[in-house]
Amino acid sequence: MNIILLGAPGAGKGTEASKIVDTYKLPHISTGDIFRENIKNQTPIGVQAKSYIDQGLLVPDEVTCKIVEERISREDCKNGYMLDGFPRTIAQAEALDKSGIDIDCVLTLEVGDEEIVERLSGRLECKICGSSFHKDHRKPKAEGVCDNCGGTLRTREDDKPDVIRARLKTYYEQTAPLKEFYAKKGMLKTVIGKNEIASTSAEVLKVLGV
Ligand code: AP5
């Protein structure tokens, strides 16, 4: 099972991807997480990615495609994987097509801009393990502390208001056209993601046929 999860920033891709990978026992490949890990470790890719991410822009296709190609060639991906945040441009989708990989389902989460701004402004991320919480919708058990590893929770650098606006602009210009790209191939499934997490997850699993 190879699944692609599309959606605007803050639509809930990471949240729903976690449920999907638990259900199907698939590796979760999030290009955003890969870049953040590289930024944390100050690798050359991390340094390059940070200069784009901090402005709400996409990391260049060549860099991103290479990372994904390497990741999906690993042993744990031989029975399938969940791509979260990739592809994000038509060029990335074409590169995926060219590599001969069969995608079983492309799922898009649809959420309005106002809700997105509210979600991203309230998101909290663990400094250590990267787990995601929300100050109202997904509260940690203890304020400011990660439920999973006890790490300190913080606001993501790219969740500042001006960067959120730039990320949304980038999404509409470069990523939203992928919906038509996959709809034309008869592969696109849509879930309205504006409801609370439990009902959105139930709908996602239903659409995937669980
Ligand atoms: P990435 O990390 O992928 O960021 P994003 O797409 O902007 O998505 P987010 O992680 O912000 O949100 P999400 O949709 O996962 O929502 P979440 O579940 O956290 O990428 C970061 C950057 O890396 C990009 O801007 C780009 O620069 C670069 N990059 C990544 N991939 C790339 C690529 N392929 N090509 C080029 N560059 C790339 O939820 C958000 C919040 O809402 C959370 O607090 C959550 O608890 C809450 N929430 C979730 N669902 C609900 C719900 N149903 N109701 C209420 N609250 C909810």
Side-chain angles (χ1 to χ4, degrees):
M1 186 83 167
N2 297 331
I3 305 169
I4 290 174
L5 202 47
L6 295 178
K13 298 182 297 298
T15 303
E16 298 311 326
S18 305
K19 302 271 164 52
I20 297 169
V21 300
D22 281 353
T23 306
Y24 284 102
K25 309 286 176 237
L26 295 173
H28 178 180
I29 303 176
S30 156
T31 38
D33 286 349
I34 295 173
F35 289 134
R36 278 184 289 279
E37 190 60 26
N38 275 276
I39 291 170
K40 194 164 95 184
N41 297 327
Q42 297 182 331
T43 68
I45 286 175
V47 172
Q48 189 184 7
K50 189 172 177 354
S51 66
Y52 294 95
I53 294 175
D54 284 356
Q55 297 181 69
L57 302 173
L58 296 181
V59 179
D61 289 334
E62 319 76 88
V63 179
T64 310
C65 289
K66 216 166 156 192
I67 282 179
V68 173
E69 197 186 318
E70 187 282 321
R71 180 64 189 87
I72 61 185
S73 69
R74 292 193 207 161
E75 183 65 17
D76 65 335
C77 290
K78 72 175 196 308
N79 293 324
Y81 40 81
M82 160 89 255
L83 289 173
D84 161 7
F86 182 92
R88 230 170 171 109
T89 62
I90 297 286
Q92 291 178 12
E94 285 172 349
L96 197 61
D97 272 359
K98 264 195 205 143
S99 67
I101 287 162
D102 284 331
I103 299 296
D104 299 287
C105 180
V106 180
L107 201 146
T108 178
L109 287 169
E110 295 297 306
V111 179
D113 288 1
E114 242 176 73
E115 171 79 14
I116 281 171
V117 172
E118 194 274 331
R119 286 185 190 180
L120 294 181
S121 315
R123 175 164 57 185
L124 299 165
E125 178 203 53
C126 176
K127 235 172 144 174
I128 313 261
C129 72
S131 295
S132 172
F133 298 87
H134 190 279
K135 68 180 178 52
D136 301 317
H137 309 306
R138 199 184 191 189
K139 290 184 185 175
K141 289 185 190 120
E143 199 181 324
V145 181
C146 175
D147 290 359
N148 301 324
C149 75
T152 305
L153 300 182
R154 62 171 176 198
T155 298
R156 237 167 74 171
E157 282 287 313
D158 59 348
D159 282 345
K160 291 176 188 153
D162 55 331
V163 187
I164 295 174
R165 279 193 296 276
R167 285 161 66 197
L168 276 170
K169 185 169 179 282
T170 300
Y171 168 76
Y172 287 114
E173 286 174 1
Q174 297 189 61
T175 307
L178 285 175
K179 289 190 273 183
E180 202 190 330
F181 179 91
Y182 285 115
K184 275 187 184 155
K185 291 173 182 277
M187 295 163 79
L188 191 73
K189 297 190 177 179
T190 303
V191 168
I192 303 299
K194 68 176 174 44
N195 298 320
E196 58 177 23
I197 295 175
S199 59
T200 304
S201 300
E203 185 60 23
V204 164
L205 295 181
K206 196 171 125 193
V207 164
L208 288 174
V210 181

